[in-house]
Amino acid sequence: MSAEPGAAPGTEHPDPLTVARTRGYAVLLLMVAILGVPISALAFGFLALVHELQALTYDDLPRALGFHGTPSWWPVPLLAVAGLLTGLTIRHLPGTGGHNPAEGMAHGEPPASVELPGIALAALTSLGLGAALGPEAPLIALGGGLALFAVRLVKPGLPPSAGAMVAAAGSFAAVSTLLGSPLLGAFLLMEASGLAGMTLGLVLVPGLLASGIGSLIFIGLGSWTGLGTYSLTLPGVPHADDPTVGAFGWALVLGAAAAFAGAGIKRLSLSLQKHTGRRTVPSAVAMGLVVGVLALLYAQSTGDEASQVLYSGQDALGPLLASDAGLSVATLVLLVACKGLAYCASLSSFRGGPIFPAMFIGAAGGMALSHLPGLDTTSGFAMGIGAMCVAMLRLPMTSVLLATLLLGSEGITVMPLVIVAVVVSYVLTLRFDSGAAPHTAPR
């Protein structure tokens, strides 16, 4: 029996217990530990660059051009430029800029080394200039691709099964603290990949090792540079009431509403993508203009920052929860509508991840419903996040954890409500999926 150190999902390989006892598996763990340091450092640098691009293009550039602050119309030309640059990258560089976010979370083969520059550039122009997407999908692809490329430089004859494990560990390291916890990032990757049984245990050990090392690197670099860890955190979460019969009723409503909203977003984004054909660049520019106009519409209608409609929404979740008392139901509903349509446009033509905008839209929707009797703000916030995430990701356990671990001690209180909302949304989403015609998006 061959002693290959790893097992790729869906392929025939030796018994995982036999593999775990081999010397090759121990060597693989050592390689993963070494690779976790530079990959997590590069992931930190990528997130820092995205953050600096956002500040440069949205805040610094308008002031440098003589404006007093950022004009409300500024996102319109900014997103047109984002569409142009992203479209050119998708059209002309190998790899089409990475996985298409309208198709959900990627869980296939890691990208080839020749595709990595295009993935990084498409993500930077999308995320740095305001598309309503998150950084998790590009980081997963870049982490896995870089790890596999580095190991194959040292060991060209690496078996495919070991290569799959190395790539998975690189992805673990890249998203180690992005979702607020190394365990949550690891859980996302495991559930998205469909790992189970002994194969799960075999891949989990090097993945957790890389994730732990990555978390330490993020914390160290955040402290050393003063830039923070780019981790999803919510300080000062308001108190959540104990679950009531009325709150469980709202969980059913939120779960159903999120399933309908998620189905609408997914189908609209895929429909927009289907009609782009070979017009990748002009379509991306057009979708960029749509995102910019939606941000302008929200800013002009409410007097709030257009940036709430732009970007992933990761940094806006805390301020959104803290400012609930000052946001009317009408403002929250308009925010959900504008952010949801901007999310559709971004999914169709830009590159990034689907998690954080789904969290933001669900949170705002749950907070809008919390203005009605029987539902407190924190419970609505959490249920909205969980229900909307599962509607977009089809990952129920990850969705529950995202919505509850984010809230600290209050997450324990609201967890039963979140579970109900997630289950309702998940079941309805699967029903919608089974009734939809198969669609393969053009690349």
Side-chain angles (χ1 to χ4, degrees):
M1 181 175 290
S2 172
E4 291 186 4
T11 57
E12 295 296 329
H13 289 289
D15 175 54
L17 281 175
T18 302
V19 174
R21 297 188 185 103
T22 64
R23 179 177 177 273
Y25 189 73
V27 172
L28 182 66
L29 291 177
L30 178 60
M31 286 194 298
V32 164
I34 295 172
L35 281 173
V37 175
I39 288 176
S40 54
L42 287 171
F44 182 92
F46 177 85
L47 292 173
L49 183 55
V50 168
H51 185 269
E52 289 303 313
L53 280 173
Q54 292 174 351
L56 174 65
T57 55
Y58 193 79
D59 297 321
D60 299 340
L61 185 56
R63 290 177 173 81
L65 294 175
F67 295 103
H68 298 289
T70 304
S72 58
W73 52 262
W74 184 257
V76 178
L78 182 64
L79 268 296
V81 173
L84 175 63
L85 296 176
T86 304
L88 289 171
T89 301
I90 293 172
R91 182 68 182 276
H92 296 292
L93 291 186
T96 65
H99 177 73
N100 189 329
E103 298 170 1
M105 289 295 295
H107 49 80
E109 295 294 323
S113 58
V114 71
E115 299 175 350
L116 297 179
I119 293 173
L121 184 57
L124 285 173
T125 55
S126 296
L127 306 178
L129 300 184
L133 294 170
E136 67 283 354
L139 283 178
I140 289 170
L142 292 170
L146 286 171
L148 191 57
F149 173 68
V151 170
R152 283 179 172 168
L153 283 179
V154 178
K155 191 175 181 181
L158 188 72
S161 56
M165 289 184 60
V166 168
S171 297
F172 274 63
V175 296
S176 55
T177 63
L178 187 64
L179 299 176
S181 164
L183 285 176
L184 188 49
F187 205 99
L188 166 70
L189 290 169
M190 290 185 294
E191 193 174 17
S193 301
L195 295 173
M198 286 303 301
T199 300
L200 168 61
L202 201 61
V203 178
L204 179 60
V205 173
L208 284 177
L209 177 60
S211 189
I213 290 172
S215 181
L216 291 174
I217 296 299
F218 266 64
I219 293 170
L221 287 175
S223 175
W224 179 55
T225 62
L227 297 175
T229 60
Y230 303 108
S231 175
L232 181 62
T233 56
L234 287 181
V237 176
H239 173 71
D241 298 333
D242 290 333
T244 62
V245 174
F248 275 102
W250 280 118
L252 300 177
V253 172
L254 263 168
F260 278 99
I265 289 172
K266 195 162 186 74
R267 292 183 185 182
L268 178 55
S269 61
L270 288 172
S271 178
L272 289 170
Q273 182 193 72
K274 182 176 66 174
H275 287 90
T276 60
R278 295 181 60 85
R279 301 183 295 276
T280 304
V281 178
S283 297
V285 173
M287 290 301 100
L289 288 171
V290 168
V291 176
V293 169
L294 288 165
L296 171 61
L297 173 65
Y298 176 77
Q300 291 288 81
S301 301
T302 64
D304 292 330
E305 288 289 328
S307 58
Q308 288 188 305
V309 175
L310 307 176
Y311 309 119
S312 69
Q314 175 186 356
D315 295 333
L317 280 170
L320 177 69
L321 183 59
S323 65
D324 173 60
L327 294 177
S328 66
V329 175
T331 298
L332 287 167
V333 170
L334 182 61
L335 178 57
V336 169
C338 291
K339 186 78 171 184
L341 290 173
Y343 187 30
C344 288
S346 299
L347 286 169
S348 70
S349 297
F350 288 89
R351 292 295 183 263
I355 295 178
F356 292 116
M359 294 179 67
F360 186 89
I361 293 167
M367 288 171 62
L369 289 177
S370 72
H371 285 259
L372 299 174
L375 182 63
D376 65 89
T377 298
T378 301
S379 298
F381 182 90
M383 286 191 290
I385 289 176
M388 196 65 199
C389 280
V390 80
M392 294 304 299
L393 304 178
R394 282 66 168 169
L395 306 177
M397 290 296 293
T398 298
S399 299
V400 170
L401 293 175
L402 274 171
T404 53
L405 295 183
L406 180 63
L407 301 177
S409 60
E410 301 300 327
I412 302 298
T413 303
V414 302
M415 185 176 285
L417 299 174
V418 172
I419 291 173
V420 172
V422 167
V423 169
V424 170
S425 180
Y426 182 59
V427 171
L428 288 175
T429 297
L430 293 182
R431 292 291 297 269
F432 296 152
D433 285 348
S434 66
H439 170 71
T440 301
R443 294 180 63 87

